[in-house]
Amino acid sequence: MNSIAEPTQKRLSTSEFAQLASFSKREFGLNLSENKMPLVFSRLSKRLEERKVANFSEYLKILNAQNEHAERQELVSALTTNVTSFFREAHHFETLKNRLYELKHHIEKGKRVRVWSAGCSSGQEPYSIAATILSVYPDARKLDIKVLATDIDPKIVSKAKSGLFRREKKVEIPESLARHLKPSTVNPEFDEADDVLKNLITFGELNLISDWPFSGPFDVIFCRNVAIYFDQDTQRRLWKRFSDLLTDEGIIFIGHSERICGPALGCLQGIGITSYQRRSKLADQKILGD
Ligand SMILES: C[S@@+](CC[C@H](N)C(=O)[O-])C[C@H]1O[C@@H](n2cnc3c(N)ncnc32)[C@H](O)[C@@H]1O
């Protein structure tokens, strides 16, 4: 495939595609193999039109310009999807609930519990986590339990933070969440999360392949349907970074088509479908000492 063109005569040459792929990998860990060329072309052609840019070479110059941080974010938004839903893969939330029960003594002594939704998209994942926490600990606001929700895309983070969700007639929302969603006073087609739910969650913008401005530890990490965009090396590094940040017996949930690979496998054990638990560090030391 040497180039792709559309009626308006914009062309994406293989060399421009290679530059876009290498830029996307370096900046965001995205893995764009050549079979993604038609997808990249169609998604980015829209960006070129919106920015009134004549061709892909010009667009590459824009991406590399220092003051074009926002365009780089647009690039990630165009190349990834934000598809998500409340209680997606309900079994993960059952495991979360069980873990919260296991931590009862710890939690009721006022000790710290942190859950991270990494790649939270428009917020359905962290709000489902918060609703699960409240179903086990209705007084969670008096305890030291918090959810951190991050995504690379600032627009989607502010959408998530608003707590506004279009009401979908066919979607059955579990009672644990439904009781915290009230009709929006601003737009009758939307529901809004109440403050009890919102106050459990802190939102932030974060590129998972950059430095992380916190050191954890986290009792539970959800990173689902995000690593799928990354190449193998980036995935291996990411799983290891997550496993280093988990508490003893902390749990990580990943997407249905993802698998943990690389050195993280040495300290994580599978405990169910796409669910892994950090082996106790004490047990690790014992193994090393044996
Ligand atoms: C398909 S959504 C997954 C949402 C949710 N985790 C779920 O499974 O329902 C993927 C999200 O990953 C985010 N994303 C892509 N690359 C990222 C990166 N390098 N760092 C952080 N988030 C990223 C996208 O912005 C998008 O919101």
Side-chain angles (χ1 to χ4, degrees):
M1 202 184 304
N2 289 328
S3 71
I4 302 183
E6 64 172 12
T8 53
Q9 289 313 308
K10 279 193 185 65
R11 282 181 179 280
L12 174 63
S13 69
T14 42
S15 138
E16 286 162 341
F17 175 75
Q19 289 175 65
L20 277 168
S22 112
F23 181 88
S24 305
K25 180 172 177 182
R26 190 181 69 239
E27 297 290 320
F28 309 111
L30 302 184
N31 184 26
L32 299 177
S33 50
E34 214 173 277
N35 62 3
K36 299 250 174 75
M37 202 164 153
L39 180 131
V40 170
F41 176 72
S42 92
R43 300 247 176 111
L44 293 186
S45 291
K46 292 193 193 105
R47 272 317 292 157
L48 266 63
E49 255 158 52
E50 277 159 23
R51 288 283 313 241
K52 304 202 181 345
V53 180
N55 53 51
F56 280 93
S57 292
E58 284 303 310
Y59 188 61
L60 274 157
K61 280 186 202 148
I62 293 178
L63 287 176
N64 282 294
Q66 234 178 16
N67 57 351
E68 290 284 357
H69 177 72
E71 189 56 46
R72 291 188 276 277
Q73 304 290 357
E74 293 285 351
L75 175 80
V76 190
S77 295
L79 297 180
T80 59
T81 84
N82 295 124
V83 175
T84 186
S85 54
F86 288 122
F87 289 91
R88 186 179 197 180
E89 310 214 27
H91 59 100
H92 286 163
F93 295 89
E94 283 306 308
T95 308
L96 169 65
K97 206 188 233 182
N98 292 338
R99 184 68 192 143
L100 290 168
Y101 281 122
E102 278 170 18
L103 291 169
K104 196 168 194 287
H105 286 308
H106 177 90
I107 290 173
E108 286 180 350
K109 275 191 208 148
K111 291 199 179 155
R112 178 186 187 280
V113 168
R114 294 291 178 272
V115 183
W116 182 12
S117 165
C120 66
S121 188
S122 40
Q124 283 81 347
E125 184 175 275
Y127 285 99
S128 304
I129 295 170
T132 305
I133 294 173
L134 285 164
S135 72
V136 181
Y137 300 104
D139 273 345
R141 70 191 163 86
K142 294 187 191 150
L143 304 166
D144 192 6
I145 311 182
K146 292 268 175 293
V147 182
L148 172 68
T150 62
D151 199 282
I152 194 171
D153 181 344
K155 282 192 201 151
I156 208 86
V157 172
S158 65
K159 197 171 168 194
K161 200 171 175 180
S162 75
L164 287 167
F165 300 98
R166 184 175 287 281
R167 200 171 307 124
E168 294 165 56
K169 288 197 186 77
K170 285 193 189 133
V171 177
E172 287 243 344
I173 293 176
E175 175 51 28
S176 60
L177 175 64
R179 73 172 75 110
H180 293 287
L181 294 179
K182 307 285 175 246
S184 159
T185 49
V186 185
N187 187 331
E189 287 171 20
F190 283 72
D191 283 329
E192 183 170 356
D194 66 12
D195 286 344
V196 182
L197 205 58
K198 279 186 185 171
N199 290 342
L200 282 183
I201 314 170
T202 305
F203 289 94
E205 194 187 318
L206 182 75
N207 180 355
L208 284 173
I209 71 148
S210 66
D211 290 338
W212 299 345
F214 43 75
S215 52
F218 289 94
D219 299 271
V220 181
I221 297 174
F222 285 69
C223 185
R224 309 185 305 164
N225 310 299
V226 184
I228 195 164
Y229 297 110
F230 303 155
D231 62 60
Q232 279 278 316
D233 280 351
T234 310
Q235 287 192 22
R236 281 165 193 271
R237 275 196 300 278
L238 187 63
W239 302 136
K240 181 70 172 90
R241 290 176 82 190
F242 281 138
S243 66
D244 288 345
L245 232 53
L246 280 174
T247 53
D248 267 9
E249 297 177 17
I251 293 175
I252 177 164
F253 298 114
I254 64 174
H256 60 282
S257 53
E258 296 163 339
R259 292 289 168 272
I260 298 269
C261 53
L265 281 174
C267 50
L268 294 175
Q269 62 182 22
I271 53 160
I273 303 164
T274 53
S275 315
Y276 298 80
Q277 185 160 35
R278 177 87 174 79
R279 279 199 282 113
S280 150
K281 283 167 194 146
L282 269 176
D284 279 359
Q285 278 164 14
K286 252 179 117 185
I287 289 169
L288 285 174
D290 283 347

